[in-house]
Amino acid sequence: MSEQWQAELAEGFGCVQDLLDFLGIAAPFSAEAAGKFPFRVPRAYARKMRPGDPYDPLLRQVLPLAQELASSEGFVGDPVGDRPALKVPGLLHKYQGRALLITTGACAVHCRYCFRREFPYGESQFTRQREKAALDYIVRDPELTEIILSGGDPLLLSDDRLVRLTKQLTAIPHLRRLRVHSRVPLVLPSRIDERLLEILAGHRLKTVVVIHANHPRELDAETVSVLAAMRRAGLTLLNQSVLLRQVNDSVSALCELSERLFECGVLPYYLHLLDRVRGTAHFEVPEAEARALHEALRRRLPGFLVPRLVREVEGKPYKLPVS
């Protein structure tokens, strides 16, 4: 197994000032905010940022700001109802026919808008015992046809762990699909090696990988190359974005993102309104503005390139369309 990606992960930026020095930027940040939700950025992602630009949209996604410490009405610790949906530790079951496994609390990059920034990973992260309980739950529910691997980022699991998990899921006869949600192809593309592709594609379940690209500059040459390899392996690629203030809240950025995704063989899937987790109010785009942006996308792009504008609401049986 190649260890390149583990080394790159370990060599990433864990200090805000080190990243700013690397970019040649003098920008304010909050050490206190970074203490509450730790700072982490791989160098592969940092290289996509514009040197000297304190307003770079990729930098904004990861830079801890003092606004995170402000109290904002309606912004809470669990905005989408993950905790009530925990049927056993590590397994969320919100929607009919599919369940989600919290496979790890680790991510390659810590996005400041993350809706699980306060999730109790210590109580839910997979141990062998918890993994068995989650798999037993799946076995007992024949209506489940799709399992979603999430976290954290499931592609940070070791190859051996992924092999064991996919074998166990494949052995459950009523499952038909495996869905993997990951930022890794964008922020740590070296992880997408030949062995990982064999693991993801080498079983009977139809595998869908949902990448989380928010801005077209996240799709650089290295990421484009690994996305092509994923397609060649037979994986279905979708994208979901979060609509973020001063990141992608313009018609030009969203149109370019959809066009660029399609060129990479990735279908735009969802454009999410911000999940209102505590500390993220400065990222929020008001619903009326979001609707106007989405309408402009519909006017400029063919329908298959227009992601569905949605929000997640606790207790609802599906993502709710906004427009």
Side-chain angles (χ1 to χ4, degrees), residues 4 7 46 58 69 78 86 96 116 118 128 144 154 156 163 171 176 182 186 240 256 258 261 302 309 321:
Q4 177 187 353
L58 278 59
L69 306 173
D78 182 17
L86 280 166
Q96 184 175 349
R116 289 201 179 116
E118 295 190 23
R128 285 294 184 99
L144 289 174
L156 290 193
V163 166
R176 301 173 63 182
S182 178
L186 306 166
Q240 64 179 39
E256 186 181 351
S258 282
L261 285 165
L309 183 64

Side-chain angles (χ1 to χ4, degrees), residues 297-317:
L297 291 183
R298 294 166 72 93
R299 291 175 181 273
R300 288 181 54 171
L301 294 172
F304 61 89
L305 290 187
V306 180
R308 285 170 280 182
L309 183 64
V310 297
R311 65 152 48 94
E312 186 168 356
V313 177
E314 180 178 354
K316 297 297 182 182

